[in-house]
Amino acid sequence: MISLSERSNEIVNFIEENEVYIPDEIQKQLLEFMTKICSYEEEEKKIFPHLVIGQNIETEDFRKIFSVEIIHLSTEKNKSLFYKRLKPLLPFCNNGWRVYVDIEEAEMRFGIMRNFSGIEGLIVDDLLRNSKENAEMIYKDYGISCVLLNPININTVEIIGMDGKELRINFSLSEQVESNEEQKQCFLDDFLMHTNDDKIRRSIKKVIDLFPQKLHGTICLVVNEKCQLPNEQLKDGIFFEQPIDIVGAAEEILEKDIDHTVDYIRQLDEKYYAITGLFIEMLNFDGITIVDTMGRIRGYNVFITPHNKDNIITGGARKRAAHALLDSQNEDYVGVYFQSQDGNYFYERIRI
């Protein structure tokens, strides 16, 4: 008989290498939680828990160094109640927050931190990754140390340390094919074909990077900006008379010729956050979400009417629909992003 516990020392050693102290009583609960993190559900709702755990997270120094908003929610001295106190916080992760546990010898402090700091700001995940050059100084001068537990897909969780290193744990019994990061970049290039602003491209990339964590399977079709919808193949679904302009919302924030007040900028940030969140919700609906090369959402919950019933493709209905789009040879179609329920994805351009 073999078990995950045989490899637990490697996980514990990785965490300790990042100067994070976790008492034995919490270690056991944390390792048990890690076996559930990729398929975690509350009341039949899928949740991707993201957990920052370490020391001195609630300090003012941590807030300044990482520029994050932190909300303290509870304190617990009984370490055997680690998971019980953690569990009710995990649903916040589906709404743009990261759960944190600040562990000291006498007590544990639980709370959430905002994983969104405006269109130009870095998310918590990137801030931790980008701290690698200063990780030793941050620990030495401020006593701050932490790691992030981050589920990548239904089979894999990664632990990200402040030193920039990552440890990935795969719970699948079969060999997994890694999704190609270059394909995600290709999707970004087509979606923002008419946008050269680096800040806008970085902001949209942050949204796309959330897809493997936030989506439980999707098809997203990129069309050119002149594509008329609905059409003969795509006529069953919701099509917007006025496209939802994600790039336009980003440009409004980044407009340098206008002297916005701080409050107005905050409102624009929240508007952008709401629109990108809406985009992710649409992608989680059944059917196809349609965007164009100007960075606009054109429709969602769209179903395809196949032209060639002789072209048989193995796989689920979503995968068959994706390949039907790829084989359509429609000059108005640019490419198809497909993501399966296990989080693996591909992006292919239309074959014409």
Side-chain angles (χ1 to χ4, degrees), residues 52-147:
V52 180
I53 186 168
Q55 277 75 53
N56 292 316
I57 294 173
E58 286 194 350
T59 61
E60 189 62 31
D61 290 325
F62 187 95
R63 288 179 169 90
K64 290 179 179 178
I65 292 170
F66 293 103
S67 301
V68 293
E69 180 181 350
I70 291 177
I71 299 177
H72 170 82
L73 294 176
S74 66
T75 301
E76 178 58 63
K77 293 183 179 181
N78 186 346
K79 293 181 173 59
S80 66
L81 298 178
F82 167 79
Y83 181 65
K84 185 175 182 179
R85 297 290 177 259
L86 177 67
K87 191 172 183 287
L89 304 183
L90 298 177
F92 285 106
C93 295
N94 277 12
N95 293 299
W97 296 85
R98 295 290 182 260
V99 175
Y100 72 82
V101 186
D102 192 346
I103 300 176
E104 302 298 335
E105 289 188 13
E107 62 186 17
M108 303 173 291
R109 292 187 287 274
F110 296 84
I112 54 178
M113 60 178 69
R114 187 74 181 272
N115 197 39
F116 175 75
S117 54
I119 186 171
E120 297 186 64
L122 293 172
I123 59 176
V124 172
D125 309 22
D126 290 336
L127 288 166
L128 289 174
R129 286 188 175 98
N130 292 345
S131 68
K132 58 185 177 182
E133 295 180 359
N134 301 314
E136 186 175 346
M137 180 273 291
I138 292 172
Y139 176 70
K140 182 179 178 181
D141 292 352
Y142 304 103
I144 294 172
S145 58
C146 61
V147 293

Side-chain angles (χ1 to χ4, degrees), residues 196-232:
N196 296 319
D197 190 300
D198 288 338
K199 290 183 178 179
I200 291 177
R201 296 180 70 85
R202 285 197 299 269
S203 69
I204 303 298
K205 184 179 184 302
K206 289 194 293 184
V207 178
I208 294 174
D209 285 341
L210 292 174
F211 285 4
Q213 302 164 11
K214 293 288 187 180
L215 304 182
H216 51 69
T218 195
I219 305 173
C220 185
L221 170 67
V222 182
V223 301
N224 66 48
E225 68 276 12
K226 296 181 181 179
C227 180
Q228 296 296 315
L229 295 170
N231 59 26
E232 191 62 29

Side-chain angles (χ1 to χ4, degrees), residues 165-297:
K165 295 179 181 178
E166 301 175 8
L167 176 66
R168 293 194 174 188
I169 304 108
N170 191 297
F171 297 100
S172 174
L173 295 176
S174 58
E175 185 177 354
Q176 298 295 302
V177 178
E178 289 290 330
S179 298
N180 190 340
E181 189 71 18
E182 292 180 1
Q183 293 178 354
K184 195 188 295 181
Q185 182 62 46
C186 187
F187 172 49
L188 177 70
D189 290 341
D190 288 348
F191 183 39
L192 302 180
M193 188 177 293
H194 301 288
T195 304
N196 296 319
D197 190 300
D198 288 338
K199 290 183 178 179
I200 291 177
R201 296 180 70 85
R202 285 197 299 269
S203 69
I204 303 298
K205 184 179 184 302
K206 289 194 293 184
V207 178
I208 294 174
D209 285 341
L210 292 174
F211 285 4
Q213 302 164 11
K214 293 288 187 180
L215 304 182
H216 51 69
T218 195
I219 305 173
C220 185
L221 170 67
V222 182
V223 301
N224 66 48
E225 68 276 12
K226 296 181 181 179
C227 180
Q228 296 296 315
L229 295 170
N231 59 26
E232 191 62 29
Q233 190 180 30
L234 302 172
K235 54 187 177 182
D236 178 14
I238 298 174
F239 301 91
F240 303 132
E241 293 182 12
Q242 294 294 327
I244 298 174
D245 192 352
I246 298 179
V247 168
E251 288 175 338
E252 191 175 8
I253 299 172
L254 296 170
E255 178 58 64
K256 300 305 181 184
D257 296 334
I258 300 175
D259 186 17
H260 294 313
T261 65
V262 174
D263 286 342
Y264 187 63
I265 292 173
R266 187 177 293 114
Q267 291 176 24
L268 292 176
D269 279 341
E270 291 299 333
K271 174 184 174 181
Y272 175 78
Y273 178 68
I275 289 176
T276 55
L278 182 67
F279 180 37
I280 289 176
E281 290 299 321
M282 290 176 179
L283 288 163
N284 268 323
F285 269 81
D286 289 339
I288 303 161
T289 301
I290 303 174
V291 299
D292 66 22
T293 52
M294 294 185 70
R296 304 180 301 179
I297 309 171

